[in-house]
Amino acid sequence: MVLGTSSHVGKSLLTAALCRIFAQQGHRVAPFKSQNMSLNSAATVEGLEIGRAQALQAEAAGVAASVHMNPVLIKPSSDNSSQVIVCGKIWGRVTAEDYHHRRVEELMPVVRASYDALASQYEVIILEGAGSPAEINLKRHDLANMRMAEMADAQCLLVGDIDRGGVFASLLGTLELLETEERERIRGFAINKFRGDASLLEPGIRMIEERIEKPCIGVVPYLHSLMLEEEDSLGLPPATQTQWRPDTLSCRASNRSLRVAVIALPSFSNFTDFDSLRAEPSVSLLFCHTADAITQADVVILPGSKQTADDLLWMREHALDIAVQQYARTGLVVGICGGMQMLGEAITDPLGMEREGSTSGLGLLPIRTIMQADKVTRNVTGHMVAQSLFGQPIENRRVSGYEIHIGRTIYQEGAAYFAVLSSSLQSSPDQNDGCMNSDSRIFGTYLHGLFDDDSFRHEFLRAARAFHKLTAPAQLHLWKQLREESLNRLAREVEKALDMKTIFGWIGLAYKDRNPTGENIIQPQIESVLR
């Protein structure tokens, strides 16, 4: 089990790295996080919802993501209340006090059943903790840390983040706040995100080893430019540039980067939708809060939202609604999931799933949305209906991604669909998706992960650049290949940094040294899943 001295120490990516390493060593391995708090989620092959971090970890392990890998998902709705997803379905909306004091015990049997289901299928389970195991105010009803470690009889690695400072104090403090039997379960510690001269760290490591009587299993370097999602908390956009790249400043340069503005909504969900766009050399992407950024953009994107109506009202408070409407008269506008609902005429929520009542939309697409109790969760593939995008002809109309939404779209007279989608779920017939305006400058879709499809993203960039009379992209990335390279790089660096023989020995397995080429051979099970 990977535990952390706090949130954001890198537990999720280290768990993914260990999943890949164990798989490369020939073991059938799966990730498990009993309780996750995140607005970044993914759809499993069963058509259920889990945290996106566990989907990444499954990808690293070379297995299909399952709802049992994350049986409890908490999606914050406000500072004091959250929607709780249990076994991939909406379980209820609760306050923090109600959840921790009364509801957690109801979910423990569900967590145990999911863990047992995984343990019956896999040889190795890599568990991930949540936050810190030393949250003494919450330990009585702990669902994700030491109580889970005891249930699984897991050997634990405690991870501290040195990049933020105070790593030795956080390691010591965490262990001091644990009970004796809990401390005994932690077999060693690792320091993550290190940069600098390693020799300067040695005295501190020796002193803390003596103080806590636990060995240092390794120091993991700070890994730059990993194209992997790590955020596993409230789903806020990661820190990014606050200005356009310098090459975008000259409006006359036809080879400049395409300026893409993604509105950073307060309840922004699934910001990982834009990782593949951010990685493209021909794109400068901003998560923005201002009307100025919208005015300067080549493409404006309204992303997904956990609280769609509330975020729409927030846009009005900051005059962003007017900025988008004015921009849309001549510019390119895209709405993803909740963003598409905002582009419509109205959002009605008769059951109070997010905000009871009706909220007028931006009026840029002829659709209306009605919120419902049941959530649509599925992976899909399909094709665009139109043969042009942004007024430019396109050759490949393929689209793919996943749906996670509670809204039902009502099409008004004259509305044109964006795509036709099909799912592998037997009970799910082909369905029309999204909407596009008459000149294809504005479109919306329920598809998360739309830009992760290389063929669509490449067509999107060519069309957007052609619309603005920019040259075609000089270089285009293959996103899945980049992710594979990043996962392999992550695993390789972690494997070099940590004492893997000791870690494997904790669970009674032998670690095989790397082959002479310096690369582990990826097992066929991983290759088949990736294909």
Side-chain angles (χ1 to χ4, degrees), residues 327-341:
Y327 174 87
R329 294 171 184 168
T330 56
L332 308 179
V333 180
V334 178
I336 305 293
C337 199
M340 177 188 73
Q341 295 171 349

Side-chain angles (χ1 to χ4, degrees), residues 12-13 15-16 19-20 30-33 36 38 40-45 48-70 73 128 228-229 231-232 270 272 379 402 404 483-484 487 529-530:
S12 295
L13 285 186
T15 299
C19 283
R20 175 56 58 103
F32 179 84
K33 185 165 186 174
N36 195 354
S38 179
N40 281 337
S41 58
T44 69
V45 291
L48 299 170
E49 186 176 9
I50 63 171
R52 186 135 195 92
Q54 281 62 64
L56 170 67
Q57 291 159 1
E59 184 181 342
V63 297
S66 164
V67 71
H68 293 305
M69 296 173 182
N70 177 211
L73 174 62
E128 180 189 345
L228 303 170
E229 56 267 26
E231 174 60 58
D232 199 31
N270 287 53
T272 52
N379 291 289
Y402 58 98
I404 299 179
R483 283 175 65 84
E484 265 305 286
L487 279 171
V529 168
L530 294 177

Side-chain angles (χ1 to χ4, degrees), residues 83 90 93 307 349 351-355 371-373 406:
Q83 181 187 79
I90 295 176
R93 184 170 177 171
Q307 299 293 122
D349 191 352
L351 303 177
M353 298 301 295
E354 293 184 358
R355 183 187 183 91
M371 297 298 188
Q372 299 180 308
I406 58 173

Side-chain angles (χ1 to χ4, degrees), residues 445-490:
T445 174
Y446 275 119
L447 280 181
H448 292 289
L450 174 72
F451 298 111
D452 293 352
D453 188 310
D454 291 334
S455 61
F456 176 81
R457 187 179 67 260
H458 295 170
E459 294 285 5
F460 176 90
L461 292 178
R462 292 189 190 102
R465 293 183 67 86
F467 177 88
H468 289 289
K469 295 180 172 52
L470 301 176
T471 57
Q475 180 185 1
L476 290 168
H477 279 161
L478 298 176
W479 180 239
K480 289 181 174 58
Q481 178 179 319
L482 287 177
R483 283 175 65 84
E484 265 305 286
E485 291 171 355
S486 289
L487 279 171
N488 284 330
R489 176 186 162 215
L490 171 67

Side-chain angles (χ1 to χ4, degrees), residues 3-7 11 129-136 138-139 142 144-146 158 170 173-174 177-178:
L3 296 168
T5 56
S6 69
S7 296
K11 297 187 296 291
S132 164
E135 304 289 356
I136 54 178
L138 303 176
K139 276 188 65 178
D142 171 44
N145 290 300
M146 301 315 299
L158 181 63
S170 63
T174 298
L177 289 172
L178 297 180

Side-chain angles (χ1 to χ4, degrees), residues 28 58-65 523-531:
R28 185 161 171 78
E59 184 181 342
V63 297
Q523 298 301 311
Q525 64 180 17
I526 293 179
E527 294 178 338
S528 64
V529 168
L530 294 177
R531 281 197 297 269

Side-chain angles (χ1 to χ4, degrees), residues 21 150 161 178 299 315 341 388 417 453 463 484 494 501:
I21 292 167
E150 181 181 2
D161 175 4
L178 297 180
V299 183
M315 286 182 62
Q341 295 171 349
S388 64
Y417 304 125
D453 188 310
E484 265 305 286
V494 169
K501 288 185 179 179

